[in-house]
Amino acid sequence: MTPAPTLHFLITAGPTREPIDPVRFISNRSSGKMGYALAEAAAGAGHEVDLISGPVAIPVPADPRIRLVPVESTRQMYEAVKARLGEADVAIMAAAVADYRPVQVSSQKVKKSQQGDWVLHLQKTEDILGSAREALGFAGFLVGFAAETENLEAYAREKMKRKRCDLMVANDVSQPGIGFDSEENEVWLFHADGGCERLPRAAKTVLARELVRIIERLARDRMRATST
Ligand code: PMT
């Protein structure tokens, strides 16, 4: 039997940082472990991977099939995705992208002595996943992650529809020991056709291998369906 052709994965991972001044920024608790585990799993299954990563403390992956693209801000992550999405068969957006950035970035450190209360005026950042279909013209298999603390299914399904994903991977980040900056995770998969399945709590590396197997199968089914 001829082996199935290699797929090209684009994966986002880690947090983004939005500067306030030269020493301060807005960010979140993402460690990048989930996204890097997905990149290792996809490369381990023989696929090519563009890993677009915010600032993390994880070593550069050794697998030569993984091309690491380090970025810092949401705008840089958006530009890196935009430049590479056209080559991808599968895009998995596991990054915890900062939703807001300060409207004004001070070029000098803001001194405490100048401040009473400090009110920051924030504006929305680019919605990278939400731009994939229309603005960036991505026609491949699109996977979003949903980090929720309540109403997991309703919120994840709403995001999946609004951002036009084929699959939404939802994690309850209010649960101790899973989600942000932990070794383990537990996820629900919501499919665009209405189906759902649960992958029980396991190491992110184990879950990532299972996720890649599922995503690879669904992506190939979709490719076959659209080519006939
Ligand atoms: O990095 P770890 O410490 O291992 O933690 C893993 C994780 C909890 C970060 C990961 O499992 C996860 O849930 N990632 C998505 C986090 C998130 O930002 O979720 P969200 O529900 O706010 O966003 C929904 C989707 O839109 C995500 O695919 C996100 O990448 C994307 N998004 C969000 C905002 C934005 N401006 N652009 C985006 O592309």
Side-chain angles (χ1 to χ4, degrees):
M1 220 167 77
T2 26
T6 296
L7 297 176
H8 192 137
F9 280 64
L10 179 149
I11 298 173
T12 66
T16 56
R17 286 181 182 171
E18 301 304 328
I20 296 169
D21 68 12
V23 300
R24 302 180 177 97
F25 54 80
I26 296 173
S27 191
N28 59 67
R29 296 176 189 279
S30 171
S31 63
K33 286 174 190 162
M34 191 70 245
Y36 276 61
L38 286 162
E40 300 275 6
H47 303 297
E48 292 296 319
V49 182
D50 283 329
L51 174 60
I52 300 170
S53 173
V56 297
I58 303 177
V60 173
D63 193 312
R65 293 189 193 89
I66 302 176
R67 284 170 300 278
L68 179 68
V69 183
V71 298
E72 193 150 325
S73 67
T74 303
R75 188 167 286 136
Q76 288 169 358
M77 185 173 276
Y78 178 84
E79 291 301 330
V81 168
K82 184 177 168 187
R84 288 163 186 82
L85 198 57
E87 291 157 30
D89 302 302
V90 175
I92 308 177
M93 306 297 192
V97 181
D99 290 311
Y100 290 90
R101 69 165 68 89
V103 171
Q104 277 186 338
V105 181
S106 174
S107 59
Q108 302 299 329
K109 182 181 172 194
V110 176
K111 303 299 281 180
K112 266 200 308 253
S113 57
Q114 292 166 11
Q115 301 286 334
D117 289 344
W118 185 1
V119 179
L120 282 175
H121 184 190
L122 304 177
Q123 64 184 188
K124 274 198 170 152
T125 55
E126 295 80 3
D127 183 343
I128 302 169
L129 176 62
S131 306
R133 290 290 189 217
E134 242 166 77
L136 304 180
F138 181 60
F141 195 82
L142 185 60
V143 182
F145 265 73
E148 307 297 347
T149 56
E150 56 177 349
N151 300 329
L152 184 96
E153 175 162 6
Y155 288 162
R157 284 197 186 279
E158 187 279 324
K159 273 178 196 168
M160 175 168 61
K161 207 167 162 197
R162 180 162 42 88
K163 302 192 184 203
R164 297 179 55 197
C165 299
D166 296 295
L167 184 73
M168 189 55 91
V169 182
N171 35 201
D172 181 347
V173 293
S174 69
Q175 296 294 320
I178 62 168
F180 285 88
D181 199 13
S182 56
E183 295 304 321
E184 295 185 328
N185 210 355
E186 173 183 317
V187 297
W188 284 88
L189 307 187
F190 297 106
H191 298 251
D193 68 5
C196 85
E197 59 193 300
R198 175 173 159 265
L199 300 187
R201 184 168 175 153
K204 285 178 178 171
T205 48
V206 173
L207 273 183
R209 284 197 290 273
E210 184 60 22
L211 274 170
V212 164
R213 262 195 298 276
I214 293 169
I215 290 167
E216 182 184 348
R217 176 173 51 76
L218 293 170
R220 290 198 195 283
D221 287 352
R222 190 175 184 278
M223 283 161 118
R224 268 192 294 273
T226 50
S227 71
T228 50

